Amino acid sequence: MTVITRPEEFNVGDLYVSLEPAFGKSLYLKCEGFNFAGSVKLKAALEMVGAAERAGVLRPGTTIVESSSGNLGVALSIVAASYGYGFVCVTDSRCTRAAQQLMRAHGAEVRVVTEAHPENGLLGARLDCVQQLCRANDRYVWLDQYSNAANWLAHARTTGPEILKEFPELDVLFVGAGTTGTLMGCARYLREEKPSVRIVGIDAEGSVTFGFPPLPRLIPGLGTAVRPALLDRSYVDELIVVAERDTVRTCRTMQRNGFLFGGSTGTVVAGALRWLDEHTPDGGLTAVAIAPDLGERYLDTIYDDEWVSEHFGADTPAAAAQPATPRRQP
């Protein structure tokens, strides 16, 4: 029997899915969505809040403020409720309705930005809004997931060690790039503990993180309009950029096999499949990819036929999953 008293005490870290039956490739998917926040972001939320408390920045009566496309906002709304803090999430119009509803259900205030910054897109507008809120109220504390070292430290302490414990012969790890906290934490840990592991970063087409020009993006999670300060490119051995149409196809293929994963997971898996097809067509490597979230929050987007047809074409839901075409940094 497992008995907990606080929601953050429950977080399954040792569940993996073999994707070989679905895609014919030997690839293990580390499922990070089995906690009350529904995503890997619970780890970062706990680490950042804990660090802010230890530093004396968070005190009784303060309110946490953060910019999020959805998953971190949900995680912080749960942690804030559990710890007794207020929480304001600044998000944008791409944030799923389910994520917004979950945050509000946990007592958070949700501010939705609809007009993009002229140079830095919707993320830039969100960051401006956060800074304005903090200037106007000295009880507001911005954790700043984009530059907060506690973001990557959470994964150096948990996610990386969890993977290496289950796969001591690990050859390659595929990690999506959003704030790059998960990517940097796992990469830093493995560089010290098992430097032979190849780290392959997966980014969304239209993201500027690795130096590509910005393009419109519809699926929240991976990718950014402002290069995250946490990123250290030297820890990333290779990069694959995935088109959102491939994200949808990959998610739909996993769903047809009974696994409902989120958009970030579909992007990571699409990139991983392409890399494996190019580098190990006959298998032979121990490969793991990180699934940041589950799919329930995407029922009105990725898993809605009308939404997919409108944005990606009527053939996309029924099409067989095709691995993403890689683009590497110039």
Side-chain angles (χ1 to χ4, degrees):
M1 177 186 295
T2 300
V3 179
I4 64 173
T5 57
R6 297 165 69 107
E8 64 272 14
E9 294 172 356
F10 175 75
N11 191 14
V12 176
D14 60 354
L15 179 63
Y16 293 79
V17 171
S18 171
L19 294 180
E20 190 164 8
F23 297 103
K25 299 289 183 185
S26 179
L27 177 64
Y28 296 97
L29 193 59
K30 186 181 195 303
C31 302
E32 289 284 352
F34 290 98
N35 55 58
F36 284 101
S39 81
V40 70
K41 292 293 188 178
L42 180 62
K43 293 175 173 177
L46 287 169
E47 191 72 33
M48 289 192 294
V49 168
E53 285 186 330
R54 292 189 294 272
V57 176
L58 281 179
R59 303 179 301 276
T62 55
T63 294
I64 298 168
V65 183
E66 187 55 88
S67 159
S68 170
S69 62
N71 282 341
L72 182 71
V74 173
L76 280 173
S77 70
I78 291 172
V79 174
S82 179
Y83 282 43
Y85 297 114
F87 175 50
V88 178
C89 180
V90 179
T91 188
D92 61 58
S93 50
R94 294 170 301 181
C95 180
T96 65
R97 191 171 85 174
Q100 294 182 43
Q101 290 175 322
L102 279 168
M103 287 186 274
R104 292 190 175 102
H106 285 292
E109 177 185 345
V110 180
R111 299 202 178 196
V112 181
V113 170
T114 57
E115 294 187 13
H117 184 280
E119 296 178 359
N120 298 322
L122 287 168
L123 176 55
R126 278 162 37 192
L127 296 177
D128 284 350
C129 181
V130 167
Q131 292 166 352
Q132 291 169 9
L133 288 171
C134 291
R135 284 195 296 266
N137 192 329
D138 60 7
R139 292 186 301 168
Y140 281 7
V141 175
W142 180 24
L143 297 179
D144 190 5
Q145 62 166 326
Y146 310 97
S147 64
N148 193 328
N151 187 347
W152 69 259
L153 188 59
H155 302 286
R157 290 177 171 172
T158 60
T159 313
E162 289 166 0
I163 293 170
L164 196 57
K165 177 184 176 182
E166 298 296 332
F167 296 91
E169 301 304 317
L170 181 68
D171 293 305
V172 58
L173 178 65
F174 302 96
V175 190
T179 65
T180 69
T182 308
L183 176 60
M184 289 295 98
C186 291
R188 287 173 182 269
Y189 171 79
L190 290 169
R191 180 69 60 86
E192 292 293 325
E193 298 297 325
K194 193 175 175 61
S196 63
V197 175
R198 195 152 194 83
I199 303 296
V200 180
I202 312 292
D203 201 7
E205 188 174 88
S207 169
V208 306
T209 300
F210 291 91
F212 294 110
L215 293 171
R217 289 177 291 113
L218 298 171
I219 302 172
L222 299 188
T224 182
V226 179
R227 188 181 188 276
L230 293 179
L231 176 64
D232 184 338
R233 185 66 173 83
S234 68
Y235 285 96
V236 182
D237 297 306
E238 289 187 62
L239 171 70
I240 291 182
V241 177
V242 176
E244 289 187 323
R245 198 169 194 264
D246 293 321
T247 295
V248 173
R249 284 174 164 171
T250 305
C251 282
R252 289 302 187 97
T253 296
M254 290 188 288
Q255 179 271 320
R256 286 195 293 271
N257 284 267
F259 295 105
L260 197 72
F261 286 108
S264 297
T265 299
T267 302
V268 172
V269 172
L273 291 172
R274 178 60 180 176
W275 190 95
L276 290 170
D277 188 54
E278 284 193 342
H279 291 79
T280 59
D282 300 321
L285 292 181
T286 299
V288 174
I290 296 177
D293 58 0
L294 302 179
E296 290 89 344
R297 294 171 196 170
Y298 302 84
L299 293 178
D300 57 353
T301 55
I302 289 173
Y303 295 104
D304 182 271
D305 288 350
E306 291 185 6
W307 186 90
V308 172
S309 296
E310 176 185 352
H311 294 290
F312 301 107
D315 64 320
T316 302
Q322 298 294 323
T325 301
R327 294 167 56 194
R328 295 179 175 81
Q329 178 146 352

